[in-house]
Amino acid sequence: MTGRGSGEARAAFAEALARLRRELPDVSDETLARRAGRTALPSGRRVEVNARRLGEWLGGRSVPRDFDVVVAVVRAVETAVARTGPGPAPRQSIAQWERLWRAAYEERSPARNGAAESSAGTEPGPAGAARGLAVGRPPSDAAALRERPDLAGALDSAIEEAQVRQVVLTGAGGVGKSQLAAAAFHRARQRGQLAVWVPASSRQSALTACARAWRVMAGEGAAGDRDAGGGDRGWDEEAEADLFVGWLRTTTRPWLVVLDDVDDPAELAGIWPVGDHGTSVVTTRRRDASVIRPSARIIRVGMFTPEEAAGYLRARLSAAPGPSSSPASDSITGPQDDTGVESLAEALGCFPLALSQAAAFVIDTGLSLAQYRRLLDDQQETLADLFPSSSPADEHGGTVSSTFRPALERAETLAHPGTVRAALELVAMLAPGGIPEVVLHTGAARRWIGKEQDRPRERDVLLALRALHRLSLVTHDSERGPATVEAHALVQRAARETVPAGDRPALAAAAADALEEVWASREIRPDLAAALYRNVEALRLTAGDLFREGRMHPVLRRTGPHLTGLGRAAAARDTCSELLVRARARLGEGHRDVLILRSQVAQAVGDLGNATTAHAELTAIRREAERNLGAADPDTLSVRLHEARFLMESGAVGEASEAFTTLAADAARALGPGAALTLDARGYAAMCRGLAGDAVAARDAYAAVVEDLERERGLGDPATLGALTDLGRWIGEAGDPDAAVEMHLKAVDALCTAAGPLHHDTLVARHNLAYWRGLAGSPEQAVEEFAAAAHDAERALGADHPTTLTCRVNLAFWSGLTGRPADAVTELAGLQPLIDRILGADHPRALRTRQQSAELQDRAGDRAGATTRLTILLADMTRVQGAEHPRTREVAELLKHWGSPAGS
């Protein structure tokens, strides 16, 4: 063929394909790609077809690398056309399609393929080297191979680009980089390219492979040309490798060289495959400057998706005989085990190597998935026992445990001695899903990481983290918001196993100290608090016990209040109850930490609706705290605050007001007027004034509290923003709903900036804004805002979260007020059982929902039925909250109004 590189063949192929495509004008590219992917080829196999790639082929922007894809598309179109009637005649044969495709493929990139006039006889190196020649032995396909079409497509796209000379598949050991490279190797061979597989874990193995490739290619040439190729000169491997690399640089034949498992790129100096007519594919753990080059395309290979991981396990275990065919059997196979498969895949972090070894171990031992999962959950089991070499992965040379060690040893050479291992040890104790980098820069963390140095520096920590990142042992991400560190759970487990037993308590203490150091800082964002909580929970699992030197670690105190602040009172109760059992056993009944945990459990019980029980328990705890800790102790004062809070919630507003006022004065003397507890007590005292009927006094008192909070903590502090929303409420209660709306708008804007629109505090403020919007005379806008808040709360917090339910209840209520009361009554009737189940039938929200439903029933015209419901509700409110509770009095007044002539 002449004119190669002019684009004529490529244009001809694209035009033929577009002409064929026009036979299905009403079918989208996505549908056609799916149909082509389901079309069986003459060999019986099927191929993946990407709709985006199909569009590129039709536009002449690229050419398929695999002719089987062309066959699949042609057959899919012909089959579809045949169903609706005879297609245009005559059609091109498959052989004609192949000629069109081959001509287009060979001229797809003049810079990479050279001039058509080049011939084997005029190239340097072995004359006549055969097209489609494959040298080297890539790994066999995995027993249950996952195609991973997105990664394969990205790899093919990179290889096709003229400016890309090297494609780097980077990722942790065992994620499937070599399998992806092997598939590309085979596709290159099918296209007629020279394909060479080079084991590159060391310089010697790479030299040997390159020298062998040169000898094989020389053997493929004519007998008279062997001497020119160097086949019989007896040169050493260095010389033969040099000849091979030099030939790649000058040849016009297309080639693909895979350098598999590159450990140290510097060791391959001088033998990197380079040339205008080929591409090298590199698999490596490295992701640093040694592989990041202008002509290289970096493709990160991570874990399987959950679907891929579960699919692998199902396929791998499908042939394994179970112990019984009974549906009740604990067999490893069968549809009844689908949940077990997904659960195991999740527990293994979708790690391909771990999945492969776990499946092999299950098959070899005859264990059920449930039995293996119990072993996996047992932290006393080692990785060597869970993933033994006697049950190897699919042709992978290492195990989960052994794959980790060489990466760590290499990383240790990239930073100050001892710091890399120590940093990974600290990371291993925390959450795999994201550790705020600031935690690892605390004084506690630096002391651990730099324990072998006299003066640990922040820079040493960064160098250690980057060394771990460069070897794919962790991911250090500073591009999206505050920097974080992530590590796979099995890498963390492997790292923990390297820590001597005697050092583990000190390591756990260092991790806890680092978390506490960050959490104790005043300027802490809600998203950071959430991340710290996740890390504390992870540390509780990895440390086993955070009770040291006669106390509970202070960071554990923070979990209950954090959960309560998110509206998760039940979770706070359960977490604090669990900690309380341990604290009592380790510290004794009267210990400070036991008293605090008892207080937190009582608070959660009160927040779940049982204010009377909570108040009684907190009164007993306060008395004990005064005896054991002293009346002015900060923890005693904290218990007093919540004792007064639930006195208020029980309806004794006057008594609570006195308690808060006295507490504020005592806290100011003991802790200072700007202390958090002092300001909290003042805020609650202001609320009591409002609940007692003096909304103006409550408004003015809250305004003073907000002013002091802004001065002490700033507008973005959660306490300031909470007081701001309370101020908005009492501005409205004092008779100015429009000003209440403006104040809530200010609070919502500040919360969105400080915490984000989906944070719990923001969602509560958005709900309150909608409420006051309705009272200010814009009920339709209120309904819109309630609907948006309910949707976002369900997305962020879940359908069963109390805040979500509150938003849904008020959405229904205000929708009823705007003209659909009967429909709203039905909606609330559907929500009531859910609220009763999740919060309890006596919870304030459950009682309030019953009140709102009765009010709407009256609005819908059924006053008699509404009165009956409200009468029963009043009895329940009196029993639960007391006759003097504001809501109880409100229902009593409403009943009185309905029963009076004026209310008729």
Side-chain angles (χ1 to χ4, degrees):
M1 175 182 172
T2 60
R4 186 175 177 180
S6 64
E8 294 176 5
R10 187 168 178 161
F13 172 74
E15 172 56 30
L17 199 62
R19 189 164 53 248
L20 179 77
R21 176 70 181 85
R22 286 195 290 271
E23 296 186 35
L24 294 177
D26 297 328
V27 175
S28 68
D29 284 354
E30 288 76 12
T31 301
L32 178 55
R34 285 196 298 272
R35 290 179 181 177
R38 293 194 297 266
T39 300
L41 300 172
S43 63
R45 67 185 285 259
R46 289 178 171 82
V47 294
E48 292 282 345
V49 179
N50 184 290
R52 180 180 62 81
R53 306 288 295 162
L54 178 60
E56 292 178 359
W57 303 331
L58 290 166
R61 295 189 299 277
S62 64
V63 179
R65 299 181 63 84
D66 187 346
F67 179 63
D68 282 349
V69 173
V70 180
V71 176
V73 172
V74 170
R75 291 203 163 188
V77 173
E78 291 177 347
T79 301
V81 171
R83 292 196 185 104
T84 58
R91 291 188 180 278
Q92 295 191 98
S93 67
I94 293 298
Q96 289 172 316
W97 275 111
E98 185 172 9
R99 284 194 293 273
L100 279 170
W101 166 79
R102 189 171 297 280
Y105 183 79
E106 290 180 353
E107 75 159 21
R108 72 193 190 287
S109 175
R112 296 176 72 87
N113 291 291
E117 290 78 6
S118 296
S119 66
T122 60
E123 288 185 4
R131 292 182 182 278
L133 178 64
V135 183
R137 186 179 297 123
S140 302
D141 287 351
L145 183 66
R146 300 293 94 187
E147 295 293 341
R148 308 182 83 170
D150 289 345
L151 287 171
L155 177 55
D156 284 346
S157 295
I159 291 173
E160 285 183 7
E161 291 188 30
Q163 67 272 25
V164 175
R165 295 291 180 266
Q166 187 178 87
V167 184
V168 180
L169 299 175
T170 180
V175 293
K177 304 182 295 294
S178 296
Q179 286 284 334
L180 288 165
F185 176 93
H186 293 306
R187 289 194 293 272
R189 185 180 182 185
Q190 291 171 356
R191 292 191 298 269
Q193 290 180 275
L194 166 68
V196 180
W197 187 272
V198 178
S201 58
S202 69
R203 181 174 183 82
Q204 185 56 54
S205 64
L207 283 172
T208 299
C210 290
R212 179 170 179 265
W214 178 256
R215 291 194 300 272
V216 170
M217 290 167 56
E220 289 291 324
D225 293 322
R226 287 178 61 83
D227 207 43
D232 291 330
R233 288 180 179 256
W235 290 336
D236 60 21
E237 288 185 339
E238 287 270 3
E240 290 174 330
D242 290 343
L243 289 168
F244 175 65
V245 173
W247 179 82
L248 292 177
R249 186 178 289 275
T250 57
T251 184
T252 58
R253 295 193 183 282
W255 54 265
L256 181 80
V257 175
V258 177
L259 298 169
D260 185 43
D261 194 22
V262 173
D263 181 31
D264 184 1
E267 289 190 354
L268 302 186
I271 54 174
W272 285 100
V274 178
D276 288 340
H277 302 281
T279 306
S280 60
V281 174
V282 178
T283 72
T284 181
R285 297 183 183 90
R286 303 294 287 261
R287 45 180 174 179
D288 51 15
S290 61
V291 295
I292 299 175
R293 304 173 180 178
S295 61
R297 174 67 54 81
I298 307 297
I299 298 177
R300 295 183 178 179
V301 183
M303 305 301 157
F304 280 156
T305 65
E307 295 76 19
E308 288 170 339
Y312 173 87
L313 284 178
R314 290 190 195 97
R316 185 73 176 94
L317 299 173
S318 60
S324 168
S325 59
S326 167
S329 166
D330 198 16
S331 168
I332 63 174
T333 60
Q336 68 273 18
D337 298 305
D338 221 38
T339 302
V341 166
E342 293 172 358
S343 175
L344 179 58
E346 180 182 5
L348 293 171
C350 301
F351 188 6
L353 176 58
L355 292 163
S356 178
Q357 275 207 274
F361 187 60
V362 165
I363 292 170
D364 291 344
T365 59
L367 290 173
S368 69
L369 291 185
Q371 290 169 328
Y372 182 78
R373 177 63 192 274
R374 285 193 288 272
L375 288 176
L376 186 66
D377 290 342
D378 184 353
Q379 294 297 313
Q380 301 303 312
E381 294 284 342
T382 67
L383 292 181
D385 292 331
L386 293 166
F387 307 101
S389 58
S390 58
S391 294
D394 297 309
E395 286 202 23
H396 193 282
T399 64
V400 170
S401 181
S402 66
T403 299
F404 157 80
R405 286 193 295 271
L408 177 57
E409 290 169 1
R410 176 64 68 183
E412 286 187 290
T413 67
L414 304 177
H416 292 296
T419 59
V420 171
R421 184 177 293 271
L424 185 57
E425 289 169 351
L426 204 55
V427 167
M429 299 301 292
L430 301 173
I435 304 164
E437 186 189 347
V438 64
V439 172
L440 300 171
H441 286 296
T442 58
R446 289 205 306 273
R447 284 190 293 274
W448 180 267
I449 294 171
K451 57 190 173 183
E452 296 185 12
Q453 297 178 310
D454 293 334
R455 297 177 62 190
R457 299 172 300 171
E458 188 169 335
R459 180 170 175 270
D460 297 334
V461 175
L462 181 60
L463 289 174
L465 290 177
R466 293 307 298 179
L468 292 167
H469 175 88
R470 289 164 66 179
L471 269 295
S472 298
L473 287 166
V474 307
T475 295
H476 178 231
D477 184 2
S478 58
E479 296 179 0
R480 296 168 296 177
T484 58
V485 177
E486 297 183 357
H488 194 277
L490 291 178
V491 171
Q492 291 179 304
R493 188 164 180 169
R496 289 196 299 272
E497 288 182 4
T498 68
V499 180
D503 291 344
R504 291 174 189 173
L507 171 59
D513 289 345
L515 293 170
E516 172 65 13
E517 195 172 325
V518 176
W519 214 333
S521 62
R522 180 167 292 183
E523 298 297 330
I524 180 169
R525 305 177 309 277
D527 58 329
L528 177 57
L532 292 172
Y533 169 76
R534 291 193 299 271
N535 279 276
V536 171
E537 290 299 284
L539 181 59
R540 288 179 60 200
L541 294 175
T542 56
D545 194 350
L546 285 175
F547 292 84
R548 299 281 187 275
E549 300 175 354
R551 68 177 184 125
M552 178 180 74
H553 197 284
V555 78
L556 295 180
R557 287 190 179 195
R558 300 185 181 277
T559 58
H562 173 74
L563 292 168
T564 300
L566 295 177
R568 299 175 59 192
R573 177 199 60 200
D574 296 344
T575 297
C576 295
S577 296
E578 178 189 341
L579 288 171
L580 180 58
V581 171
R582 295 190 182 189
R584 278 175 162 151
R586 297 290 300 273
L587 306 175
E589 188 62 37
H591 192 278
R592 176 189 299 274
D593 292 328
V594 171
L595 294 172
I596 288 299
L597 289 171
R598 284 176 58 193
S599 171
Q600 291 179 349
V601 172
Q603 292 169 46
V605 169
D607 289 332
L608 287 169
N610 198 338
T612 302
T613 299
H615 175 256
E617 175 65 11
L618 285 164
T619 299
I621 296 169
R622 187 256 306 163
R623 289 170 179 160
E624 194 168 350
E626 287 176 340
R627 287 195 305 270
N628 295 348
L629 308 179
D633 186 271
D635 287 335
T636 303
L637 295 172
S638 175
V639 174
R640 281 179 62 188
L641 178 76
H642 296 291
E643 178 190 9
R645 178 162 72 93
F646 287 108
L647 181 63
M648 176 185 70
E649 293 287 347
S650 300
V653 175
E655 293 179 54
S657 179
E658 293 179 12
F660 283 126
T661 302
T662 303
L663 175 60
D666 292 345
R669 284 192 296 271
L671 307 176
L677 198 147
T678 305
L679 294 170
D680 286 344
R682 287 176 55 195
Y684 281 122
M687 182 177 291
C688 287
R689 293 189 186 114
L691 293 176
D694 193 346
V696 173
R699 178 198 64 195
D700 295 343
Y702 263 115
V705 171
V706 167
E707 182 179 350
D708 289 345
L709 280 168
E710 282 199 60
R711 183 181 64 254
E712 291 289 332
R713 304 189 188 184
L715 180 60
D717 185 86
T720 307
L721 295 172
L724 204 62
T725 57
D726 287 332
L727 173 59
R729 170 187 176 179
W730 293 108
I731 288 174
E733 297 282 0
D736 194 347
D738 291 324
V741 168
E742 291 303 315
M743 183 59 66
H744 277 94
L745 280 170
K746 179 181 178 181
V748 168
D749 288 343
L751 279 163
C752 284
T753 300
L758 299 183
H759 188 269
H760 176 259
D761 292 348
T762 311
L763 291 166
V764 170
R766 289 170 59 188
H767 166 276
N768 293 343
L769 169 62
Y771 174 81
W772 284 104
R773 186 87 74 180
L775 292 181
S778 301
E780 291 81 6
Q781 187 174 354
V783 168
E784 292 177 5
E785 291 176 346
F786 275 126
H791 175 269
D792 288 348
E794 183 168 355
R795 182 159 60 98
L797 306 174
D800 294 346
H801 193 280
T803 298
T804 305
L805 294 175
T806 299
C807 290
R808 290 182 62 189
V809 165
N810 281 314
L811 171 60
F813 179 70
W814 282 90
S815 296
L817 294 182
T818 58
R820 297 186 297 106
D823 291 343
V825 169
T826 302
E827 177 72 16
L828 290 178
L831 286 171
Q832 191 74 56
L834 183 61
I835 294 169
D836 291 348
R837 176 174 61 82
I838 293 171
L839 301 177
D842 291 341
H843 189 275
R845 169 44 54 195
L847 299 173
R848 174 64 174 158
T849 302
R850 288 168 60 187
Q851 176 185 345
Q852 290 172 304
S853 183
E855 291 180 25
L856 289 171
Q857 187 173 354
D858 172 68
R859 185 175 284 265
D862 184 8
R863 172 157 293 186
T867 300
T868 300
R869 294 177 69 173
L870 212 60
T871 301
I872 298 171
L873 174 62
L874 179 60
D876 287 341
M877 281 185 161
T878 303
R879 171 179 56 83
V880 175
Q881 301 175 159
E884 297 306 313
H885 191 279
R887 287 293 184 199
T888 308
R889 294 202 308 267
E890 180 181 324
V891 169
E893 289 295 325
L894 187 58
L895 272 173
K896 181 179 178 181
H897 173 71
W898 283 356
S900 67
S904 301

